[in-house]
């Protein structure tokens, strides 16, 4: 014996399906609005998260060397560049 609720649901949906539909008019309906709204909220949340993470980024590079050790070990300074090693 089929479920009574399924039979009742079908009898209520048949008149909706029998309604004449204009083939030249297409609308997204409620489902289209819900999908669009969910996507808009998702994009808003992603943008908010991105802004929070970009705020945490430090764009200044940190140097690992002490302030006086900026030249490599074998490099000569400007005043000693013209002299021969002793």
């Amino acid at each position: 014996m089929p479920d009574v609720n399924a039979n009742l649901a079908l009898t209520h949906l048949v008149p909706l399906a029998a309604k004449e539909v204009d083939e030249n008019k297409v609308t997204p309906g409620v489902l289209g609005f819900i999908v669009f709204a969910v996507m808009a909220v998702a994009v808003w949340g992603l943008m908010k998260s991105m802004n929070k993470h970009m705020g945490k980024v430090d764009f200044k590079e940190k140097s690992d060397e002490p302030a006086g050790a900026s030249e490599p070990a074998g490099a000569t300074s400007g005043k000693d560049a013209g002299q021969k090693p002793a």
Side-chain angles (χ1 to χ4, degrees):
M1 184 167 164
D3 192 318
V4 176
N5 289 334
N7 191 15
L8 185 62
L10 284 175
T11 57
H12 284 288
L13 291 176
V14 168
L16 294 175
K19 188 170 79 170
E20 211 173 296
V21 178
D22 185 10
E23 295 294 328
N24 296 324
K25 183 179 180 185
V26 179
T27 61
V30 176
L31 180 63
F33 175 75
I34 291 171
V35 169
F36 181 78
V38 167
M39 288 176 63
V41 169
V43 168
W44 176 78
L46 286 171
M47 293 294 290
K48 188 171 181 174
S49 175
M50 184 188 70
N51 283 333
K52 183 175 80 171
H53 285 281
M54 291 298 287
K56 292 180 182 179
V57 173
D58 184 20
F59 290 104
K60 296 180 183 175
E61 293 185 17
K62 296 179 183 176
S63 62
D64 295 336
E65 305 171 354
S70 61
E71 293 182 5
T76 58
S77 64
K79 64 179 183 178
D80 295 334
Q83 299 177 355
K84 293 183 182 179

